Structures are given as structure tokens and as C-alpha cells.
């Protein structure tokens, strides 16, 4: 078990909790008709985003996916504008123009959720290249799904990052499904990380519900990238509690499969482990729980109270003034 | 049974089902078209997805997984496979979930599928259909709400249809499958639940034939896809004010029924083109340009376009609603051209 | 030195060189732009390629391999990397060897590069240039001879320039690099050896400004890229017969200098648009449509288009020669509109 | 050494010789200004196309590349229309509309050279899928270069062929370069065939200048495909005598590198081996040489004498009549 400071443990717990609460609330708000469009929830996969982003600062970058809320929160994006963005409000991170699938915060190094599966791979090479050309030690994490691993862009990006030794960590969030299609059908390998050898980069498969396993593997990969030694492919096996998107009937999952989720729950396991070992007290975590519940509720209230953008906003932000 | 009312979604599904029954070389592939479930739950799972919006639901039960295939998220590979299969003896229907994904597979569509025949001096044919979702109104934001059919219309070698009613959705699907060329079939996401009268058996709505959705004399309104319905709504409003418009629905955009459009313009002397796609280098511009070049002497007023603005699709609901051409905007444009 | 004559190729090369000297965040990448050789032969190999047609030749010697990078044949990856780098602090120039390859990387161009800013509510900018070869006449057949800029013009969020002389090639390159948006820069393969007067130092030809290549009064001929020269040739022929045309070269197609085009049409009352791209949903249609909508009352005759036919580019030399709009065809079209 | 019948040995020799003669002639015709456009020559790589196609019949398929002449000849395409196609004549395989980069003969199962690097991968999955759906034992060979291996389409195609167990053999013709860019720069692996594990398919790297090595590996891969056991990735290392395209200054190759080519020459090695072992006589091969020289010369004369297509041909063949 990697050594993690108490502050960091509390930060990790807080971020995971915030993600879970945020997503549960988003499900409810969607059901209540308050969040329009496609909403893909991250609940169940918290340990991946948080275990990775725990090694980053605001100067580092991440590229994200359609399932991007967890990545945002792990990267430190403020929940008020995030929630307002899901509502399409003027106070949203993207002024309401992007919505859940395009939520972004470039100042925090969050280079955007993405509606196009696999599109983050090339973009991550770009921020990696910037760091390399400028000679900084900034790293980029590229989150992508098991389904995305079959998209040509990911292949191209991993090869490019390898030959250019870019400071990019490719993180495959293998939750077992691309929409309703199981990974054992769409992928020609059992472990996506095995493809690392195809790019001469280190590859590891870890239990993505085990924060410590993710944190440790992430630490090595990030350090390697910072040292200028190039990319790593890290596969984190996990599951999602919710459907592919809200409204999904989950017909493609068996009852037995779903029954195992609670047992594998990343937050519960993390909490048990750090309290059992006496690293933090249950009271401290309870306080975080209470705070988190409060923060997400306030964010919803903020979003709700915010105005929609003016119709004239349709025409702005297409081009930057030269 | 002639008065049977079904949804747009059901009409497309039935169109595919009948073609697959008729011709064993017709196969279907795409992401989740069989619903994934079939691969590890019992084959006969009634709840299995049939694509994201259920358009292909149930087809795997009738035709099996050999003819209805889930694919990885590898659009280049499976659309290219459709091209390869079409040129060697199958008639594949490939589903590109959203037209906004064309950017990851356009080469296989336009440089392979659309050109093989020409490049091979006519010694190949590529009978295939690509079904894909278009349109705003679903709060799906900039990458999942586009029309983009103007891009395909620009590229020689492809045919393209934009059905506008459950009736022509089914008939155009049959025509597309039977055609010996790659045909792109655009399904508007906001119309899938629309209902209409659809005969049960097989029938074909021919490619390249427009339909006069409403005859009229004061102005020609060419309206593509979902815009047909909006134009008809505008027509009712306008009729109250004594303006009688002719609504022409091209149905196919490639080949385009230029004769039908020009005849109408020559009759009414005024033209408004309504199109949800972005305006520049679009079908709307194309049709205005056509009329200006070929019916110049007949036009009594400057033609007008009612289109989406030249921007990506915004997410925010009020913005998106305003982004889409509306019956009110159509009526205003008609009033301007007839005044 | 003001009378210095250099080639189109040299003008582009010099444009890049000056921008790279001026701004250390400007980098260059693409297939063989450094010429491969540098990786395993001595760095200072004078013979190293600079792209297929030598446009980037020598730049790696001045700027080194950290700023001039050969790439694998992974257009999505390196053009996407340009988008990512642009939005985090560099100003990349990426070379897409031929525009016909857009089909393997369009998503990164239009759905990422062209939309990030809008989707992020204005909180990002993507200052990058994609240089790419266009045009027929090189016997390069259907996949390597296209124009396709009309496709980019349809997609909001991208700017696009089509230089037509060595002078504006250099100045538009500088403008493109300095612009804070993705700019697609189209280089016509058949013009690279053309020569013209080019000043030595830095200068900018602004985006969005047309140039009146020849003033005239009898008809407006809008001619894009290589067609400018052909239109000027036609003008000389026509002048002999007493027809005095105004040749308008848009230089940028996005943004398009609509005012310049409309002013000219309002002056001459006649319009011919000349464009090597395929005709449907094209810049040619767009400009005809613009004039019909905005200058209807000024037009004395139906506008005409002189374009490539609506087919892929054939390989056979006589076929390809006939495929390209010619000065003779332009002159014939002008005669038809002025008669 | 695989057992190869004498007839087959003679056929192999003849096809390799025809390719070499065809390409040398094409170089001369290009230099003389008779062949316009981009011409990419296959000389040096003959053992690959021939070693593979030796296992096919006319009912099988191949997809090809910009460097397609050798594939055509190995697949049995007639040299007269081939040469006429390079000239852009009406008698060409594609009526002059395609040229070198789009030369095709669908009746012979040659699904086209291709101007787009990596485009053949998906197309090959298509003919493979056709065979699978119709239940035939037809196989498809997908030829692609080392440079093409970095294109996303190849990744997608190999994954798809693997999960669908398509009868496709992916043949990477590794001639060390993508244009002027060396494979050791553009590829993140030394042996492209090592990427086979990323798709759970067998992968082999063989000496592509050794006909017997290619033939043997090809035999296994084709048999496997015919048995319905799915795809194979076969990498054949070779070199090209000519530049990337005609006109290339070859500045990116060292003198030492080029000096080794004659020694590695596939035709010379094959000839020596079969004559030394007494499998065929030198006289038999000399007769083939003479015939080959004659055939290619006649093809050039045929092409030269053929008319160009009528200008009206520009407008035909865009669409098939329904
Ligand atoms: C290029 C492209 N193809 C298809 C889609 C539709 N789509 C959105 S998410 C998704 C599944 C993604 O699966 P995975 O990568 O495993 O991510 P997960 O949803 O499991 O987090 C699909 C097919 C898309 N958005 N982009
Ligand atoms: C998508 C695409 N990108 C770039 C090119 C330009 N191009 C043509 S051939 C070639 C090199 C191909 O290298 P390889 O695959 O190794 O084949 P080889 O030429 O060595 O036979 C390149 C870059 C192209 N035709 N298509
Ligand atoms: Mg997944
Ligand atoms: Mg090569």
C-alpha cells in the first residue's frame, strides 16, 4: 500500500464522495426533467478519476469522455458551474452552451468532456506535446473507455505518444461495456492494457474499484511521464452503477452481475480500509459526507436559480477575435 | 388495414424487416443494433436494445446474429466493411449512430464507397445503405445534433435521402436498399415518435422524386426533412392571411428533383428554402442557386433561406429551440418574399 | 529587392520561416515535413524532403526537430495533437498532405478544433493552421486531386483561405498563423511552381478580404484560387471582343468578403462564379445564392457557374484536362451572361 | 522448406519475373514521360505478393495499396489492361479513369489499389464478412505497409476481423519506410507482427525477400482462414529498389543500405535455390525470362497503341443504374 498523507486521504475521500453525491443527484434531477439531453453517470468508477488526479496539480491536464463529471470533480472543477452547465444555464462552466457532454474548465486543466468516443487521445497528445516543446513538467491524463479502445484514434495516439515520448498517461476505464455491448464481445483482448506492448510502453491492469491500487499505479505512471520517459497505459477495471445513459433499461446486464456491485463499491472499501487502519476517524469522514451532501445540494440550487443565457448567445463564441 | 398509423421509428424498422425478408443478402450492422444482450443473455431477450433509439429493435430475433451484428466503436472498420461486402455481393445496411460521427469514418464513405465505381471504370457496384441520425431538438449539443447532409451532397458518388414522414421513411428505405449505389439515409432524431399512415406491405418511394406536400400558387417553399411539417404549419397560418404556398419536399437530396423545384418556382415566381442544416455551402444555398441560374426570368423577388444560423448547435434549451427554424420564421420569410 | 520573383512554394516556405522566427510557439508537423532523413542521416542533409512537394524544405535545418516534426501516417493523431497543443499554448501548423485525406481526420478538425471554443462557452482558443494540397491537373486521380474546401466552408468554427498568387500565399500564411482560430490553408498542387513578386520581409494579407484582381464594368467574375489566373486570361480574350470583366478573388472563403462580391455585382449587374471544386453545395453555389438573395434587384441576367462537373476526378490526361474549368469555358460563360 | 510442386515453382518464378520486368519498364516509361501522375514501384518486394497469392484462386480477394502493381500481377491480372491503365487509356483495367493508384480487377478478386493509406483494412473485412455470411471458403488478403500500420483503420480492422473471426490475412509489407520516414521512427514496435497479440491473433515476422519463408507462413495463415479460424497478421520484411514514387531522390537512404539490396534480391535467391536443388532447370527459367520480357513489352505496345477514352467518359460510371 502506497503511503498517502492524511490530508491526501481526506481529499481523496472527499472527491469520491462528491462525485457519488453529484451523480446520484444528477440522476434524480434528470428523472425530474431538470437536466435535459444525454447524461452519462460515473457512479461506481470514482476511484479511477480520483486515484489518478490525486497526482496532478492545476497545471496538469486531463482529457475526458462523454462520462466526464467524475473527471471534472477529481480535477477540482467547481460544482456550481458544473451543475449549472448540466442545466444549460448562463452561469455554467461553458455558459450553458456545452452541457454534460462538453463540460470543460481549461483553467483547471480539464480539456473537456467529449461527445466523440476516442477523441481525447489525439488531444492529450497535444497538451503533452505542448509541455514537451515548452520544456515544462506538465503531464496529461487521457481517460477513455473500453469501447473507445477500438477506435482508431486511440491506436494512433498511443503510437504517437510512444515515439515522441510524450508525458501522457492513457487510462482505460474498463467498466465492461460500451453502451449495451460487453467488452468481451467488442474487444479482441481480455486486458486492454496488454495492448501496451504494441506501443512499447508499460501497461498495467489494476482493480479500478481499489483506490490504493489505482493510486499506486498512477503514481508510477505520472512520475515516469514527468521524468520525460514517456507514456503509460493503465487499465482500471470497474463497473458503472447506472445505465449507459439515463433512460437505459440495463437489459444487457444480469441480476448476478448487478448484485456484486455493492461488494465492489470503491468508496465503501476505501472508507473501511482507512478507518480500520486508524488512518482517519469515522467522524472525520462523516463530516465530509455531510459537507458533500450540502455542497451538491447548493450546487443544484445555484443552477436552478441561475438564468438561461440570452438568445444572442447563439451567435457568439464561434470564433475568437484575431 | 390501409389506415394503420405507426411511428417513424416503426416505419423504418418495418422497412428493414421487409427488405431483409425479401433478400437474404441484406445484412445490418452497427453499434448496439442487436443490443449487446444477445451475446451473453438469452438470445430472445425482448428488452434488448435496437440501437440507441430502438430503431432496429427486434430484428436480431427474426434474422439472428449472423445478419444483425453489433459492432465495436470502430466506424471506419464496419462502414468500410460494408463497402467491401457490398462490392463483393452483399447489400449491407450500416448504422452510423449519429451523423456527427462522420469525421471518424468519412474516408470509407466518400473516398471508397462513393468512388470505387468511378475509379474502377464502372466495373464495381456498391449497393449499401448508411442510416444515421440527424437533427437538433434533443438537447444533445454540438456533436450530436447536426444535419450535415450538405457535406454528403457535395461529394459525388453518394446518394442521399431525408425522409419526412413515416410513409416516405419506409418507402425510401426500400428504395435505398434496392439501389445499386451507396445511399445515405438520414433519420431525424426529433421525428422518431411522429406518427402517420403507413401501408403494411412492401412499397417503394423512388429516389430522386420530390413530393408536392401542399399545392399552392403564391410562393414555393422547399422544405427538407423535418422542415416539411414546419412549412405545412406555416402554410396554415399563411392561408389565414390569404397567402397560398406550395410546399415541395425533395425527399431525396441526391439525386435532387430539380425539375419539380423549378416547375414550382416557375409557377409561383417566389422561393423560400427551409433547411435545418447550417447555411453555408448547404442544400438551401444549392436550391437558391439552382433557381437563380435556371429560373431567373421567372423570379419576382429575391429568394430567401430559413436555416439554422452558421454556428454549432448550442446545448441550452432556449438557445437550441431558437436555433431551429420554426413555422413562425418560415411564415415571416414567405411574407417578405410575397410582399 | 521589391521586384524579387519567387515561386508559390518558396513564398509559403518563407511565410512559415518568418512566422517561426517571430514566434517560438509556432511549430510544424506532418508526414515527411522534416524529410525523415534527419532521423538517421546527418542532421544537415540538404537533400532531405520537405514534404512530398518540398514546401517545408530546409525548415528543419533552421528550427530543429523539436519544432519541425515528421509524423507517422496518423492524421487523426497529429492533427488532433495540433488542436490539443493549440488550446494549451502553442500555435501549430499541421500539414495534411492532400485534402483528400480529410476523411481519416475530419473529426479532430471540425468536431474538436472547430467547436471547442463554442462548446466551452468561449473559454478556449485554438490558434492553428492546417496546410493542405488541393487541385487537379497533376494526374493524381480521384483521391489526390480534389478541392473539397466547400466541405470546410460548410462547417462553422473553421476559417479557410485559398491563396492564388505567391504574394497572397505568403501574406495569408502569416495571417493564418496569427489568427486565434483554426485556419485551413489550401495550396493548389498545380500552382507551386508559379512565380510572382514577393517582398522579402513580413507582411499580412488579412483574412476575410477579397481582392479585385482586375477592375471591370460588364460582368463580375468571382474566381477562387487557381481560377483567378484563368479568369484573368479569359478577361484578356474578352477584352479583345470589347467585354470588360471585373475579376474578384475572395482569397478567404471563410470569412467570405460578401461586401466586395455584392458591391461588384451591384456595379456590373452580371455574375459568373468560377470554381474548381465540385458544384453541388459548393462555394460557387454559395456565391450565386448570396447574389440572388442580396443583390437580386441588381442582376440583369441569370448568374452562371463554371465548375468541375459533379464527378470524381478522372485519371486519364485528356479527361482530367477537360474536367478543369478553362479560360475558354469562363469566356463562354461570360459571353452568355452579357448577351 | 514447404513442398511446392514444380508447376507452382514455375508459376511463382514467372509472376515474380513479370512483376520485376513490369516495374522496371514502368520506371522507364515514367522517365520517358509516358506514364503520368504518381507511380509507386514494387520491385524488390515480389516474394511477398507472389508468396501470398500462390495460395489463392480467382474466387479469393485481395485489397491493395498505392504500391499495387505487384499485387495485381500476383493475383493474375492481365498485363495489357494494367499497362493501358497506367497510361490512362480506354483499354485500361479501369477504362483509364483510375490510373496506377486505383488499378483494380474485381472479377479477379483484386479489389483495388488504394490512394488512401490504410483504407484496405476495412474493405478486406468486408469481403471477409461476405464470405462468412454466405458461408463460402473464400479468403481475403489485406496488403498494407509499415507506414499504414500507424493508421487507425488498420487497428479497427484487425480488432473487427478478430472478434468476428473473419477469413482475412493481414500482410504488413515492411519495406522499412513510409515515404522518407523510417519505420524505426514512425513505429513504436520493432516488429509490427508483435501487435498481433493486441488482437489475439497469430502473428509472424518473416523475411519478405525469402519466397519460401513467405510461402510457408502464408500457407498456414490462408489455411487457418479457410477453416474459419480467423485472421492472422503476417509481417514480411523487405525493401524497395526504387524511390517512394518515381521522382524521389532517395536522400533518406544510406549508400550502405542500398548496397545490400542485390544480395537480398528475392528473385535471384529463389532462382538459385530452385536450380541448385535441381527442382527446375536454368533453361526453363531462362525461357520464362524471355517470355516475361516479351509480355511486358507487348503490354507497353498495346497501351501505347490504345486510344484515350472519349471526353464523354468523364460523366459516366459515377452511379450504377438502379
Ligand atoms: C465516434 C463515436 N462513436 C459512437 C459514439 C456513441 N457512443 C457514445 S458513448 C458510447 C460507448 C462508449 O463506451 P466506453 O468507451 O466503454 O465508455 P463508457 O460509456 O463505458 O464509459 C458510444 C458507442 C460516439 N459518441 N462517438
Ligand atoms: C491517409 C493517407 N495519408 C497519407 C498518404 C500519403 N502517402 C502515400 S504512400 C505513403 C507512405 C506509405 O508507407 P507504407 O505504408 O510503408 O507503404 P510503402 O509506400 O512503403 O509501400 C504516404 C504517407 C496517403 N496516401 N493516405
Ligand atoms: Mg465502457
Ligand atoms: Mg513502407
Amino acid at each position: 500500500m502506497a503511503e498517502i498523507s492524511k490530508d491526501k486521504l481526506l481529499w481523496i475521500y472527499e472527491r469520491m464522495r462528491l462525485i457519488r453525491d453529484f451523480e446520484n443527484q444528477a440522476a434524480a434531477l434528470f428523472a425530474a426533467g431538470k437536466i435535459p439531453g444525454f447524461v452519462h453517470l460515473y457512479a461506481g468508477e470514482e476511484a479511477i478519476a480520483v486515484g489518478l488526479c490525486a497526482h496532478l496539480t492545476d497545471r496538469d491536464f486531463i482529457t475526458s469522455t462523454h462520462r466526464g463529471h467524475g473527471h471534472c470533480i477529481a480535477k477540482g472543477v467547481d460544482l456550481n458551474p458544473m451543475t449549472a452547465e448540466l442545466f444549460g444555464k448562463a452561469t455554467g462552466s461553458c455558459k450553458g452552451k456545452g452541457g454534460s457532454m462538453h463540460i470543460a474548465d481549461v483553467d483547471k486543466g480539464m480539456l473537456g468532456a467529449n461527445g466523440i468516443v476516442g477523441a481525447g487521445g489525439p488531444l492529450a497528445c497535444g497538451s503533452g506535446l505542448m509541455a514537451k516543446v515548452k520544456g515544462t513538467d506538465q503531464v496529461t491524463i487521457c481517460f477513455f473507455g473500453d469501447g473507445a479502445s477500438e477506435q482508431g484514434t486511440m491506436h494512433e495516439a498511443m503510437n504517437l505518444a510512444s515515439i515522441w515520448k510524450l508525458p501522457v498517461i492513457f487510462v482505460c476505464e474498463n467498466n465492461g461495456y460500451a453502451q449495451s455491448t460487453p467488452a468481451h464481445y467488442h474487444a479482441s483482448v481480455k486486458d486492454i492494457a496488454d495492448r501496451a506492448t504494441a506501443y512499447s510502453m508499460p501497461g498495467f491492469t489494476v482493480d479500478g474499484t481499489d483506490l490504493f491500487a489505482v493510486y499506486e499505479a498512477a503514481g508510477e505512471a505520472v512520475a515516469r511521464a514527468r521524468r520525460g520517459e514517456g507514456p503509460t497505459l493503465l487499465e482500471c477495471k470497474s463497473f458503472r452503477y447506472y445505465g449507459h445513459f439515463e433512460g437505459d433499461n440495463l437489459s444487457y446486464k444480469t441480476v448476478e452481475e448487478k448484485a456484486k456491485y455493492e461488494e465492489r463499491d470503491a468508496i465503501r472499501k476505501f472508507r473501511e480500509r482507512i478507518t480500520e487502519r486508524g488512518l482517519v476517524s469515522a467522524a472525520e469522514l462523516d463530516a465530509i459526507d455531510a459537507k458533500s451532501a450540502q455542497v451538491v445540494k447548493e450546487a443544484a440550487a445555484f443552477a436552478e436559480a441561475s438564468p438561461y443565457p440570452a438568445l444572442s448567445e447563439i451567435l457568439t463564441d464561434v470564433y475568437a477575435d484575431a | 388495414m390501409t389506415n394503420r398509423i405507426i411511428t417513424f421509428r416503426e416505419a423504418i424498422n418495418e422497412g428493414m424487416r421487409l427488405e431483409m425478408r425479401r433478400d437474404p443478402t441484406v445484412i445490418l450492422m452497427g453499434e448496439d443494433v442487436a443490443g449487446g444482450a444477445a451475446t451473453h443473455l438469452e438470445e430472445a431477450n425482448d428488452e434488448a436494445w435496437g440501437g440507441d433509439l430502438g430503431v432496429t429493435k427486434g430484428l436480431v430475433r427474426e434474422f439472428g446474429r449472423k445478419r444483425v451484428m453489433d459492432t465495436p466503436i470502430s466506424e471506419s472498420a464496419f462502414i468500410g466493411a460494408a463497402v467491401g461486402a457490398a462490392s463483393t455481393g452483399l447489400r449491407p445496411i450500416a448504422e452510423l449512430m449519429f451523423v456527427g460521427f462522420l469525421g471518424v469514418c468519412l474516408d470509407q464513405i466518400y473516398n471508397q464507397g462513393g468512388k470505387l465505381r468511378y475509379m474502377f471504370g464502372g466495373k464495381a457496384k456498391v449497393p449499401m445503405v448508411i442510416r444515421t441520425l440527424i437533427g437538433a431538438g434533443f438537447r444533445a449539443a454540438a456533436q450530436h445534433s447536426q444535419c450535415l447532409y450538405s457535406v454528403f451532397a457535395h461529394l459525388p458518388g453518394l446518394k442521399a435521402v431525408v425522409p419526412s414522414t413515416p410513409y416516405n421513411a419506409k418507402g425510401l428505405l426500400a428504395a435505398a436498399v434496392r439501389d445499386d449505389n451507396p445511399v445515405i439515409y438520414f433519420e431525424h432524431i426529433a421525428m422518431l415518435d411522429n406518427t402517420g399512415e403507413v401501408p403494411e406491405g412492401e412499397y417503394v418511394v423512388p429516389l430522386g422524386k420530390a413530393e408536392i406536400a401542399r399545392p399552392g400558387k403564391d410562393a414555393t417553399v422547399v422544405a427538407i426533412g423535418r422542415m416539411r411539417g414546419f412549412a405545412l404549419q406555416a402554410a396554415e397560418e399563411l392561408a389565414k392571411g390569404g397567402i397560398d404556398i406550395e410546399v415541395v419536399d425533395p425527399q431525396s437530396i441526391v439525386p435532387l428533383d430539380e425539375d419539380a423545384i423549378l416547375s414550382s418556382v416557375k409557377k409561383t415566381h417566389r422561393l423560400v428554402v427551409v433547411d435545418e442544416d447550417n447555411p453555408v455551402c448547404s442544400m438551401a444555398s444549392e436550391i437558391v442557386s439552382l433557381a437563380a441560374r435556371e429560373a431567373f426570368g421567372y423570379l419576382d423577388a429575391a429568394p430567401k433561406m430559413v436555416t439554422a444560423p452558421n454556428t454549432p448547435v448550442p446545448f441550452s434549451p432556449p438557445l437550441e429551440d431558437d436555433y431551429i427554424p420554426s413555422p413562425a420564421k418560415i411564415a415571416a420569410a414567405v411574407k417578405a418574399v410575397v410582399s
Side-chain angles (χ1 to χ4, degrees), chain B residues 46-215:
Chain B
D46 271 333
E47 296 305 310
W49 289 31
D52 269 33
L53 292 151
V55 178
T56 60
K57 203 162 171 157
L59 295 176
V60 69
R61 289 196 63 178
E62 176 164 351
F63 302 105
R65 282 173 50 214
K66 207 166 164 186
R67 290 181 66 197
V68 180
M69 282 165 288
D70 283 334
T71 65
I73 312 178
S74 305
E75 285 85 358
S76 280
F78 75 79
I79 290 183
V83 176
S87 52
T88 57
L90 297 181
R91 302 185 88 86
I93 305 175
E95 180 175 301
L96 176 63
M97 191 185 295
F98 283 86
V99 73
F101 308 162
L102 70 90
V104 299
C105 57
L106 185 60
D107 186 71
Q108 294 292 330
I109 301 174
Y110 99 104
N111 245 346
Q112 314 296 330
K115 288 189 190 154
L116 283 195
R117 182 175 180 79
Y118 192 81
M119 298 189 304
F120 296 0
K123 294 175 190 167
K125 63 176 187 181
V126 188
M128 61 181 277
V129 179
I130 298 175
R131 294 175 38 247
T132 189
L133 284 170
I134 58 169
F138 217 73
R139 316 313 185 202
Q143 294 171 336
H144 284 69
S145 308
Q146 303 165 81
C147 285
L148 289 172
Y149 38 70
S150 305
V151 168
F152 295 93
H154 179 67
L155 303 166
L158 305 171
K159 295 189 176 181
V161 297
V162 192
S164 53
T165 68
Y167 176 85
N168 66 25
K170 181 175 162 186
L172 287 166
L173 194 279
V177 170
R178 296 176 196 191
D179 196 89
D180 275 343
N181 299 285
V183 182
I184 323 286
Y185 181 97
F186 297 96
E187 302 170 11
H188 200 296
I189 192 166
M191 292 180 84
L192 291 175
D193 290 325
N194 288 9
T195 54
E197 219 173 281
V198 176
E200 276 190 348
E202 287 179 21
Y203 63 93
V204 162
V205 171
L207 305 185
K209 284 276 161 253
E211 189 186 4
I212 307 298
R214 180 189 195 281

Side-chain angles (χ1 to χ4, degrees), chain A residues 66-67 115 117 145-148 175 177-178 244, chain B residues 31 73 75 97 101:
Chain A
H66 54 287
R67 199 176 300 288
V117 167
D146 51 290
N175 58 13
Y177 291 90
H244 170 64
Chain B
E31 289 150 26
I73 312 178
E75 285 85 358
M97 191 185 295
F101 308 162

Side-chain angles (χ1 to χ4, degrees), chain A residues 149-152 155-156 159 162-164 185-189 195 197-200:
Chain A
S149 70
E150 316 312 347
Q151 183 66 232
H155 169 70
E156 295 190 6
N159 182 66
S162 174
I163 67 164
W164 284 355
Y185 173 83
H186 72 67
S188 52
V189 275
R195 290 189 173 152
T197 57
Y199 312 106
S200 305

Side-chain angles (χ1 to χ4, degrees), chain B residues 277-296:
Chain B
D277 203 351
N278 292 117
V280 180
C281 296
S282 66
M283 280 309 299
S285 288
E286 178 62 28
I287 292 167
V288 167
S289 160
L290 171 74
R293 286 177 285 129
E294 307 293 339
F296 182 76

Side-chain angles (χ1 to χ4, degrees), chain A residues 36-38 85-88 96-99 101-102 114-117 147-148 150-151 177-182 184-186 244-245 248-249 251-254 257 308-311 313-315 318, chain B residues 32 35-37 39-41 45 47-49 52 57 65 69-75 97-98 100-101 104 138-144 189 309-319 322-323:
Chain A
F38 289 113
E85 189 58 35
L86 303 195
F87 279 67
K97 293 187 182 182
M101 270 198 291
H102 307 295
N114 213 308
I116 303 299
V117 167
E150 316 312 347
Q151 183 66 232
Y177 291 90
Q179 300 206 144
S180 75
T181 302
H184 65 71
Y185 173 83
H186 72 67
H244 170 64
F245 40 42
D248 172 3
N249 65 12
S251 60
Y252 47 88
K253 288 193 180 180
T254 59
E257 191 178 346
Y308 282 112
L311 292 186
E313 281 293 323
I314 295 174
L315 300 176
V318 182
Chain B
D32 307 273
T39 63
H40 74 310
L41 296 180
N45 184 333
E47 296 305 310
W49 289 31
D52 269 33
K57 203 162 171 157
R65 282 173 50 214
M69 282 165 288
D70 283 334
T71 65
I73 312 178
S74 305
E75 285 85 358
M97 191 185 295
F98 283 86
F101 308 162
V104 299
F138 217 73
R139 316 313 185 202
Q143 294 171 336
H144 284 69
I189 192 166
N310 193 23
T311 75
V313 182
F315 166 68
S316 185
L319 269 49
D322 198 55
Y323 175 95

